[in-house]
Amino acid sequence: MTSTASGSRERILARIRSAVADAPDAPEAPRDYLDTHTPASRNTDLLAENLADYRALVHRTDTAGLPALVARLLAERGARTVLVPPLLPDTWLSATPEAVTRIQDEPGVSAGALDTVDSVITGCALAIAETGTLVLDASPDQGRRRITLVPDHHICVVRTLDQVVGSVPQAMPRLDPTRPLTWISGPSATSDIELDRVEGVHGPRRLEVVLLTD
């Protein structure tokens, strides 16, 4: 900052301080507003609707049907490799043929190696119905942030019973701000150039969300 700009800034701030010097203390802001506009009974359906609006592919199943669904999604994608976080439940891939190679997420896996992986499957920390957003926090069932940004196909499993909230204000108290939070609303896309939508620029081109209903 130049000395002229710095001097102008200080003069402006001095005038503001002088103008408010005798002003009364500001009243405390009311905090009795609603933290959501969605009934809890609507959260899962609204989440599915908003995810679909963002062009994510949404599936619903129960715990018993999850392995077969995951195997089908990988097969439809033609995946030969799938990236697996450290503590992903073993049952999720129990129906996936052994011909699909499982690659464990480890610090030594480079970005170049991640770029050759066909698919990645993770859990999530929370899902927000009103914004159609998935939140990942790098917990052991989700892995490091970059494993969900480099591969082109991401399968994310959401437990609807305890991981879906109505709104961002409801989500914030349940998230740890010291963790690396990744907020995902649909597949990666941008329309920065001539308003043409291009997918897969900043993350996976295809996002599939499995809503686990029990």
Side-chain angles (χ1 to χ4, degrees):
M1 183 181 294
T2 65
S3 58
T4 301
S6 177
S8 298
R9 176 177 179 273
E10 291 304 320
R11 285 194 297 273
I12 292 170
L13 292 176
R15 291 174 183 173
I16 294 173
R17 295 188 191 100
S18 176
V20 302
D22 298 324
D25 293 337
E28 185 175 349
R31 303 292 181 185
D32 57 349
Y33 46 78
L34 295 175
D35 63 0
T36 182
H37 298 281
T38 305
S41 60
R42 274 276 296 148
N43 281 347
T44 299
D45 289 339
L46 182 61
L47 174 65
E49 292 167 11
N50 286 331
L51 285 168
D53 281 345
Y54 288 133
R55 301 191 188 183
L57 302 177
V58 181
H59 313 273
R60 301 194 194 211
T61 188
D62 56 16
T63 300
L66 179 60
L69 175 59
V70 169
R72 177 171 66 82
L73 298 182
L74 292 172
E76 289 174 351
R77 180 67 177 173
R80 294 165 297 176
T81 54
V82 58
L83 192 60
V84 181
L87 293 184
L88 191 83
D90 293 336
T91 55
W92 291 10
L93 290 168
S94 61
T96 300
E98 293 185 2
V100 179
T101 303
R102 295 159 178 76
I103 300 175
Q104 295 296 322
D105 174 33
E106 298 174 347
V109 179
S110 66
L114 291 177
D115 197 36
T116 66
V117 173
D118 296 319
S119 301
V120 59
I121 178 171
T122 73
C124 75
L126 283 179
I128 304 171
E130 291 178 357
T131 59
T133 302
L134 308 175
V135 185
L136 280 62
D137 66 0
S139 291
D141 66 336
Q142 301 155 47
R144 295 170 299 161
R145 171 181 284 169
R146 67 177 180 173
I147 75 170
T148 59
L149 298 178
V150 180
D152 205 40
H153 177 219
H154 180 193
I155 300 172
C156 184
V157 179
V158 180
R159 301 191 309 268
T160 60
L161 184 64
D162 63 341
Q163 290 187 322
V164 179
V165 297
S167 65
V168 172
Q170 289 183 338
M172 295 306 293
R174 293 181 53 177
L175 297 170
D176 182 350
T178 67
R179 298 192 65 82
L181 300 177
T182 303
W183 300 65
I184 302 170
S185 296
S188 168
T190 182
S191 299
D192 292 343
I193 302 175
E194 297 183 358
L195 300 181
D196 288 333
R197 180 182 173 95
V198 179
E199 297 182 348
V201 177
H202 311 296
R205 196 186 317 268
R206 185 169 183 176
L207 173 65
E208 305 207 55
V209 182
V210 177
L211 302 179
L212 199 59
T213 57
D214 62 352

